[in-house]
C-alpha cells in the first residue's frame, strides 16, 4: 500500500500546473525581438520627453478649446447655423460667427453636437485633456482607459436617451442640438420597430454596460433572505477550499472534504494531511457567534464506498453534517438531532458591516453643527450670590435664639451658601422632637425677616434638620454657564437636560429618557416657560436632528413660536398641519392620538426586531441587523411638550386626558417622552390617572400648600421665592434648584443658527389621524355630492386602484395636492364605491381591483 505523500515532499515536487525550470527557461527564450531599423526614429520620438511635453500641452489646449466651443454652440448654435455651410469666404463668415472659438469652433461643434452625439459629446474633451495631462506629467488623475470607455459609451447612450425624448415630445428642431443626429436617427429606426418600447432597449443597454463596467454579479433586491433548504444546508457554514474530485467521505465538493493543517507560504494547503492526527479522527474548528472556536469532530473513518450506502443521507445520497458546540458527530448522527449554533444569515450581516460600516443616522445631514456656546449671553461674575460672613453669623444667632426661646437646644449649626438660598443644618439636642421644630417655621421667618423659609426635617440621608433661608443678593444662574459646564459637556445620557444649580452649587443634569416623563407646575410669572426653554435648549445643544424630534403644543400661541425656525430640523407634525407648533385644541387632540398611533407602530417594529426598547432597536439597526425593506428604520426620540395643560383640560377634557395617560403609561420604551406644564396644579387638571404615570415632578412657586401637595405630594412649593426657584421631586427625594435663565434673544439666536443650516425637506411626519366625524356615514352622505366631483377625481381613482392603497397621503404626494382637497377626494371615492369606509388608523380598503372595472365605473359616472 503506497504511503501518503507528506506536505514537505509535495512542497518540493512541482505540480502539473506549475512550470518546471526547463519550461521557464524556454519561456525566457521567447522574448520579443528588438525593434526593426525602420521603427527606431519613431521610438526615439516616442521616448523623447520634450516631444511628450509639447504634445501633452497641445492636447490640453485642444481639450479646453473643444469644451469652450461645445458649450458656446449650445447658446450660439442656431445663430451660426446659416454660416457653417455657406460659400462665403472664411474672412466674411468669421466676422459674423458668434461662437467663442470662431468659425472653426462653430464647425467642429456643429459636427460633434448637431450631426453626431448632442450634449453627449461634452465628455470627449475630457478624454483629450486626460491624455495630454498623462503625457505632460506622467500621472493620471482619472484612469485614462476606464474614463475613455465611460465617456465614449455615455456619448452614444445619452444621445439615444435624449433622442427618445425628442421623438416623444415631437420637438425635433429645438431638441436636435441636445440629442444629435445619431440619437435622433437611431430612435427613428427603433421607433419603427418597437414603438415606445424602444426606451426599454436603451435602458437595457445602460444596465448592461453598468454590469460589465462595475463587475456587478447580483442585485440586492433578489438576494436570498429565506431559510436555506435541506439541499442548501451544507453551504450555510464557512467553507474550506474545495476539491475538484470526490473526497474521502463520498461527498462531491464537500466544504469539509480535507483538513487544512499544512501550509505553504502562509496559505493553507488543501492537499495536505495532518501529520499528527490519528487515522480515525478528523478535527477542525469553526467560529461561533462570539468569535470563539467550536470543535468539529467526526468519529469513525469513512470511505467512498460506505458513505454513499450505509450512512444517513439526504435526498441526493450526500452525507449531511451539522455542527454543534461541544458535540461529537458520528456518521450515524441524524440531521434532526442537533441544532446549528448560528443563524444562516449571520455571515451576511457581518459582511454588511464589514463592507459599509455601522449605519450612521447623522449622515442624512452630515454637515449639521451643534449650536455654539457663544450664542448664549455671558453674564458678569459679579452677579454671584454674595453672603457675607457677618450675615451668616447673624442668621445663625437668630436661629439659635428663636429655638432657645422655645426650649430647643442645638448641638451645632452649619451653613451652605447656594445661588438662591442658604441652607443652615442644625443638630438638635437629645430629646428634642422634630415636629416641634417644624411648627416654628413662621417664628424663625419672622426673626430672620426673610421672605419665606423652608424647614426640612430631617435631611434625607443625614442626621440633621435643614432650614433654607433666602439670600438677600441672589445669584443669576446663566444658561451659558450650565451648557459650558464639564458635567453637561461630558454627559453621555440619551436625553441630557440641565435643570439648574443645587444648594451645594452643583450643576444638576438629568436624563429625560429615564425620568421618563416630567410634570411641571408653577404660578404665572414664576419661571415655568423659562424652564421649558431651558429643557429645549439643553437638548438642542446635545442631539442631532436625526436623533430627536419635538412635538410642541402651545395653547398660549406666543411662548414657543420662536422654535418655528427649526421646523425642518427638530419638529414633528401631522401631514395636514400648516404649522408645526400646535395651538388649536382640536389639532392637539388629533396630534395626541397620532402619537398613540406612532407608539403602536413602533411597538410593532420592536416586536418584529425581537427587542424590548428603542435603545436596543436602534443598536440593532445601526449594526445593520434589521432590513429597511421590511419597514425598519432608525427611530428618533420624540419629546412632547405641552405648555398649558389646564387650558386643554378645560376645553377638551377626556379627549386630552386619555391619550396623555396612554402615552405616559406605555410610550417610554419606544422613545416618546412627555413634558407637561400647567399653571393650576389642581386635581381636576392633574388627575390621578395622569399623576400616577409622571414619577418626576418639578414645581416652581405655587399659591397654596394644597397646590404644592397636588404636584409634589408634599408642601414647600408655596415657600419658594420665585424667579426660577423650584423643587424637583424624583424617586421620593425633593431637591431645591435654581433654574438657569435663558433670554428670548438667546433662543432667537440658537433657532436662527439651526434654521440657517440645511435641514430635511419637511418636518418629521406623524401618522394620519381622523376625528370621529371623519367616519360618520351620515355626514358623508350629506356632504359628498358626486355630481360636483373634483377635477382630479378620475386621476385619483386610477392612482388608488393602481397602488391598491386607500390613503390620503398617497393622493397628496403623487398628485401634489393639499390635505383638505385630498381628503375630499377620498370622501368622493368612498361615495362612488371605489374605497371603503374610514377605519381609524388603517388605510381604507380598495374595493375595485381591476382597471377595466374602474374605467367602466368612471364612464358611468361621467
Amino acid at each position: 500500500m503506497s504511503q501518503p505523500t507528506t506536505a514537505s515532499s509535495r512542497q518540493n515536487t512541482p505540480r502539473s500546473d506549475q512550470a518546471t525550470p526547463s519550461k521557464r527557461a524556454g519561456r525566457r527564450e521567447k522574448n520579443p525581438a528588438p525593434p526593426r531599423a525602420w521603427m527606431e526614429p519613431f521610438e526615439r520620438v516616442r521616448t523623447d520627453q520634450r516631444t511628450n511635453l509639447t504634445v501633452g500641452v497641445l492636447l490640453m489646449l485642444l481639450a479646453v478649446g473643444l469644451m469652450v466651443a461645445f458649450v458656446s454652440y449650445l447658446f450660439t448654435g442656431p445663430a451660426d447655423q446659416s454660416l457653417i455651410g455657406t460659400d462665403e469666404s472664411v474672412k466674411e463668415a468669421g466676422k459674423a460667427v458668434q461662437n467663442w472659438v470662431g468659425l472653426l469652433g462653430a464647425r467642429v461643434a456643429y459636427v460633434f453636437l448637431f450631426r453626431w452625439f448632442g450634449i453627449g459629446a461634452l465628455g470627449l474633451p475630457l478624454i483629450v485633456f486626460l491624455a495630454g495631462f498623462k503625457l505632460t506629467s506622467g500621472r493620471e488623475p482619472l484612469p485614462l482607459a476606464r474614463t475613455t470607455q465611460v465617456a465614449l459609451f455615455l456619448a452614444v447612450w445619452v444621445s439615444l436617451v435624449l433622442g427618445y425624448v425628442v421623438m416623444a415630445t415631437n420637438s425635433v428642431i429645438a431638441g436636435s442640438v441636445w440629442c444629435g443626429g445619431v440619437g435622433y436617427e437611431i430612435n427613428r429606426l427603433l421607433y419603427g420597430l418597437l414603438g415606445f418600447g424602444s426606451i426599454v432597449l436603451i435602458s437595457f443597454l445602460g444596465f448592461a454596460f453598468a454590469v460589465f463596467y462595475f463587475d456587478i454579479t447580483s442585485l440586492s433586491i433578489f438576494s436570498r433572505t429565506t431559510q436555506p433548504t435541506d439541499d442548501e444546508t451544507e453551504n450555510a457554514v464557512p467553507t474550506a477550499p474545495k476539491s475538484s474530485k470526490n473526497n474521502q467521505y463520498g461527498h462531491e465538493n464537500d466544504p469539509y472534504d480535507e483538513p487544512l493543517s499544512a501550509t505553504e507560504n502562509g496559505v493553507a494547503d488543501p492537499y495536505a494531511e495532518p501529520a499528527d492526527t490519528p487515522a480515525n479522527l478528523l478535527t477542525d474548528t469553526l467560529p461561533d457567534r462570539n468569535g470563539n472556536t467550536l470543535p468539529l469532530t467526526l468519529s469513525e473513518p469513512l470511505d467512498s464506498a460506505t458513505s454513499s450506502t450505509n450512512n444517513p443521507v439526504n435526498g441526493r445520497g450526500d452525507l449531511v453534517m451539522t455542527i454543534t458546540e461541544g458535540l461529537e458527530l458520528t456518521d450515524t448522527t441524524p440531521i434532526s438531532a442537533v441544532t446549528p449554533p448560528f443563524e444562516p444569515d449571520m455571515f451576511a450581516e457581518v459582511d454588511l458591516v464589514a463592507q459599509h460600516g455601522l449605519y450612521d443616522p447623522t449622515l442624512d445631514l452630515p454637515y449639521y453643527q451643534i449650536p455654539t456656546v457663544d450664542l448664549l449671553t455671558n453674564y458678569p461674575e459679579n452677579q454671584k450670590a454674595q453672603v457675607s460672613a457677618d450675615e451668616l453669623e447673624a442668621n445663625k444667632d437668630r436661629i439659635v435664639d428663636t429655638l432657645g426661646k422655645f426650649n430647643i437646644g442645638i448641638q451645632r449649626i452649619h451653613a451652605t451658601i447656594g445661588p438662591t438660598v442658604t441652607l443652615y443644618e442644625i443638630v438638635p439636642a437629645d430629646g428634642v422632637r422634630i415636629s416641634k421644630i417644624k411648627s416654628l417655621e413662621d417664628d424663625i421667618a419672622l426673626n430672620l425677616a426673610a421672605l419665606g423659609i423652608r424647614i426640612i426635617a430631617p435631611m434625607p440621608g443625614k442626621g440633621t434638620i435643614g432650614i433654607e433661608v433666602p439670600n438677600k443678593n441672589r445669584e443669576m444662574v446663566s444658561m451659558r454657564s450650565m451648557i459650558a459646564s464639564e458635567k453637561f459637556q461630558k454627559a453621555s445620557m440619551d436625553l441630557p437636560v440641565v435643570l439648574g444649580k443645587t444648594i451645594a452649587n452643583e450643576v444638576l443634569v438629568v436624563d429625560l429618557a429615564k425620568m421618563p416623563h416630567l410634570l411641571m407646575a408653577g404660578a404665572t410669572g414664576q419661571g415655568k416657560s423659562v424652564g421649558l426653554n431651558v429643557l429645549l435648549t439643553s437638548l438642542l445643544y446635545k442631539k442631532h436632528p436625526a436623533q430627536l424630534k419635538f412635538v410642541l403644543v402651545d395653547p398660549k400661541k406666543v411662548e414657543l413660536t420662536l422654535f418655528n425656525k427649526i421646523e425642518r430640523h427638530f419638529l414633528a407634525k401631522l401631514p395636514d398641519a400648516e404649522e408645526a407648533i400646535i395651538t388649536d385644541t382640536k389639532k392637539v387632540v388629533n396630534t395626541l392620538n397620532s402619537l398613540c398611533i406612532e407608539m403602536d407602530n413602533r411597538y410593532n417594529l420592536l416586536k418584529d426586531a425581537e427587542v424590548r426598547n428603542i435603545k436596543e432597536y436602534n443598536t440593532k439597526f445601526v449594526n445593520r441587523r434589521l432590513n429597511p425593506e421590511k419597514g425598519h428604520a432608525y427611530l428618533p426620540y420624540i419629546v412632547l411638550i405641552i405648555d398649558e395643560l389646564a387650558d386643554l383640560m378645560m376645553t377638551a377634557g377626556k379627549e386630552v386626558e386619555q391619550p396623555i395617560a396612554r402615552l405616559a403609561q406605555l410610550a417610554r420604551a419606544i422613545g416618546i417622552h412627555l413634558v407637561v406644564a400647567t399653571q393650576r396644579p389642581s386635581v381636576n387638571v392633574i388627575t390621578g390617572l395622569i399623576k400616577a404615570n409622571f414619577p418626576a415632578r418639578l414645581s416652581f412657586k405655587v399659591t397654596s400648600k394644597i397646590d404644592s401637595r397636588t404636584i409634589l405630594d408634599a408642601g414647600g412649593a408655596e415657600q419658594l421665592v420665585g424667579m426660577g426657584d423650584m423643587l424637583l421631586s424624583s424617586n421620593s427625594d425633593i431637591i431645591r434648584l435654581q433654574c438657569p435663565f435663558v433670554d428670548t434673544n438667546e433662543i432667537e439666536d440658537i433657532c436662527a443658527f439651526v434654521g440657517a443650516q440645511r435641514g430635511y425637506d419637511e418636518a418629521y411626519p406623524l401618522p394620519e389621524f381622523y376625528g370621529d366625524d371623519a367616519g360618520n356615514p351620515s355626514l358623508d352622505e350629506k356632504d359628498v355630492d358626486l355630481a360636483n366631483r373634483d377635477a382630479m377625481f378620475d386621476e385619483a381613482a386610477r392612482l388608488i386602484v393602481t397602488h391598491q392603497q386607500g390613503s390620503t397621503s398617497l393622493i397628496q404626494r403623487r398628485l401634489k395636492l393639499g390635505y383638505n382637497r385630498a381628503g375630499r377626494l377620498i370622501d368622493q371615492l368612498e361615495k362612488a364605491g371605489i374605497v371603503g369606509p374610514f377605519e381609524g388608523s388603517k388605510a381604507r380598503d380598495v374595493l375595485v381591483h381591476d382597471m377595466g372595472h374602474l374605467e367602466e365605473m368612471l364612464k358611468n359616472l361621467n
Side-chain angles (χ1 to χ4, degrees), residues 48-58 60 132 135-137:
D48 190 351
Q49 287 297 329
R50 297 171 298 177
T51 305
N52 291 341
L53 178 61
T54 305
V55 175
V57 172
L58 176 63
M60 288 192 291
L135 286 175
T136 303
S137 62

Side-chain angles (χ1 to χ4, degrees), residues 320-642:
V320 178
M321 297 175 60
T322 307
I323 298 89
T324 61
E325 183 172 2
L327 177 65
E328 180 174 337
L329 302 183
T330 66
D331 57 337
T332 59
T333 303
I335 185 91
S336 59
V338 291
T339 304
F342 50 81
E343 301 172 357
D345 59 343
M346 178 181 68
F347 297 100
E349 294 170 357
V350 174
D351 289 340
L352 281 177
V353 175
Q355 183 178 0
H356 304 288
L358 298 176
Y359 174 78
D360 186 0
T362 63
L363 291 181
D364 291 343
L365 299 176
Y367 302 109
Y368 176 80
Q369 295 181 355
I370 299 292
T372 61
V373 182
D374 297 335
L375 299 172
L376 298 170
T377 304
N378 187 15
Y379 292 94
E381 293 292 329
N382 58 9
Q383 296 192 18
K384 297 287 184 181
Q386 297 178 357
V387 180
S388 64
D390 294 338
E391 182 181 348
L392 286 178
E393 292 300 325
N395 285 338
K396 289 180 181 179
D397 294 340
R398 292 190 184 101
I399 293 175
V400 173
D401 291 342
T402 303
L403 295 177
K405 292 177 182 178
F406 295 93
N407 299 321
I408 299 175
I410 295 176
Q411 295 182 6
R412 64 178 183 271
I413 184 169
H414 172 73
T416 302
I417 302 175
T420 306
V421 298
T422 298
L423 174 64
Y424 296 88
E425 294 183 63
I426 62 175
V427 179
D430 295 338
V432 176
R433 301 182 61 179
I434 294 177
S435 59
K436 190 174 182 180
I437 297 178
K438 294 186 68 174
S439 65
L440 300 176
E441 188 174 75
D442 294 336
D443 298 285
I444 297 174
L446 177 63
N447 287 338
L448 294 176
L451 293 177
I453 66 170
R454 176 172 171 261
I455 296 180
I456 309 170
M459 293 284 293
K462 300 180 181 180
T464 61
I465 295 175
I467 301 176
E468 294 175 348
V469 180
N471 298 330
K472 293 181 179 179
N473 299 316
R474 60 189 300 174
E475 175 185 347
M476 201 276 288
V477 179
S478 68
M479 191 65 191
R480 177 169 180 153
S481 64
M482 298 293 98
I483 296 296
S485 65
E486 182 179 3
K487 192 168 185 180
F488 180 76
Q489 292 295 328
K490 293 185 177 180
S492 58
M493 305 170 181
D494 294 325
L495 294 175
V497 175
V498 58
L499 290 182
K501 274 189 177 182
T502 64
I503 292 179
N505 284 295
E506 295 179 354
V507 177
L508 181 64
V509 181
V510 298
D511 189 359
L512 182 60
K514 293 182 178 179
M515 294 180 86
H517 311 294
L518 179 62
L519 188 60
M520 299 176 63
T524 303
Q526 302 305 314
K528 184 167 56 355
S529 296
V530 174
L532 292 177
N533 289 336
V534 167
L535 184 143
L536 288 165
T537 302
S538 301
L539 295 174
L540 290 178
Y541 268 93
K542 270 294 186 179
K543 308 304 289 185
H544 188 276
Q547 301 168 334
L548 174 66
K549 301 298 176 184
F550 295 118
V551 177
L552 303 182
V553 177
D554 182 16
K556 299 179 186 177
K557 304 182 181 181
V558 293
E559 295 293 345
L560 301 177
T561 53
L562 295 176
F563 293 93
N564 264 324
K565 297 178 182 177
I566 63 172
E567 175 179 339
R568 294 187 298 110
H569 299 81
F570 284 100
L571 300 191
K573 67 177 184 179
L574 291 172
D576 63 327
E578 297 179 358
E579 296 182 356
I581 298 178
I582 307 155
T583 57
D584 186 8
T585 304
K586 293 182 179 178
K587 293 183 179 179
V588 172
V589 174
N590 291 345
T591 302
L592 293 175
N593 284 281
S594 175
L595 282 173
C596 291
I597 298 173
E598 175 76 11
M599 177 182 69
D600 294 336
N601 294 340
R602 289 191 172 198
Y603 268 117
N604 290 332
L605 292 177
L606 264 61
K607 177 184 176 182
D608 294 340
E610 298 180 349
V611 295
R612 296 183 302 170
N613 55 57
I614 186 174
K615 198 167 184 177
E616 295 178 3
Y617 178 89
N618 283 339
T619 300
K620 205 168 184 179
F621 189 86
V622 165
N623 285 278
R624 301 185 184 275
R625 297 171 60 192
L626 298 175
N627 190 353
E629 296 180 358
K630 295 183 179 180
H632 292 289
Y634 186 88
L635 300 180
Y637 286 93
I638 297 178
V639 177
L640 168 65
I641 296 180
I642 301 177

